[in-house]
Amino acid sequence: PPLASSGLAGLVVMGDESWRRNDLSDKQRYEETFPFRVCGHDIIIRQGKVDISDCNTLGRTIWDSSMVLIKYLEMLPRDTLHRKNVLCLGSGTGMDGIAAAKLGADVVLTDISTEILQANVDANVPVASTEKTEGYRQGAATVMMLDWADMQQRKDVREARPHYDYILASDCAYYHHLSELFVSCLSFFLQSQLSPPICAILAMEEHNQHVYESFLCLLTEKYGHAIKEVPFDLLHPTEGAGRHATKKRCKRGSTSLRLYPSIGLCILPSPF
């Protein structure tokens, strides 16, 4: 999309942290359903308990970067995702992909664990929807299992659509080994389709500075100048608790960065 400018993914911090979910109680984070509104559509996301030591459970809850990504998609021109094929990597609860479907995309949502993902898609995306918003129809959603290290599953997902227009992912760099697998999987899809080119939109939160910076290095080494940051002024003030968050920049290594982990949003047009 033309909304990206050149440069590496920037660090963005929401000054008013009331919308963030990191400080919520375990009951709020894992047991309660989470309501969210996308372009006039209400979606309700079921969650599950996360064991940080088990990477296969990380997708059971909603991460803050997902909300930032969705709000960015909502700000794009209304026809950006309409009738486009979208692939979601590491879908987790499915909130990113469900939001894309509400914006008119036909979405393939993937993850290594699909129980909660499938339940949320079934609850929020009708199998055959005729509902329209502002003249745009809602899209369809399909759930597929994808272990990033499984080459056959990668091929199955690739063949599920004639082509993909966009790849969406949020918070897929929680551990070092996940970062490497994610970049490998992302590269597989970008390289396997030369035309039309695929645009990847990634939102990542800095849970651990070393892991986050290593992830950015992996992307930079592979794609270099092709990575484009989403300009600070184009990030939407994320809504939460009935309030709007104020956006501000935060320098690497500052006290604010340590207190409020950053969320970077970048666009990766296919360089192939």
Side-chain angles (χ1 to χ4, degrees), residues 39-55:
C39 201
H41 298 282
D42 292 316
I43 61 178
I44 299 178
I45 302 298
R46 169 189 161 193
Q47 302 179 91
K49 185 64 177 176
V50 170
D51 179 357
I52 296 300
S53 65
D54 181 359
C55 63

Side-chain angles (χ1 to χ4, degrees), residues 36-37 67-75 236 239:
F36 203 71
R37 190 167 181 82
M67 293 187 284
V68 173
L69 174 59
I70 291 171
K71 283 300 178 182
Y72 174 71
L73 295 177
E74 197 175 28
M75 288 185 65
H236 192 286
E239 299 172 346

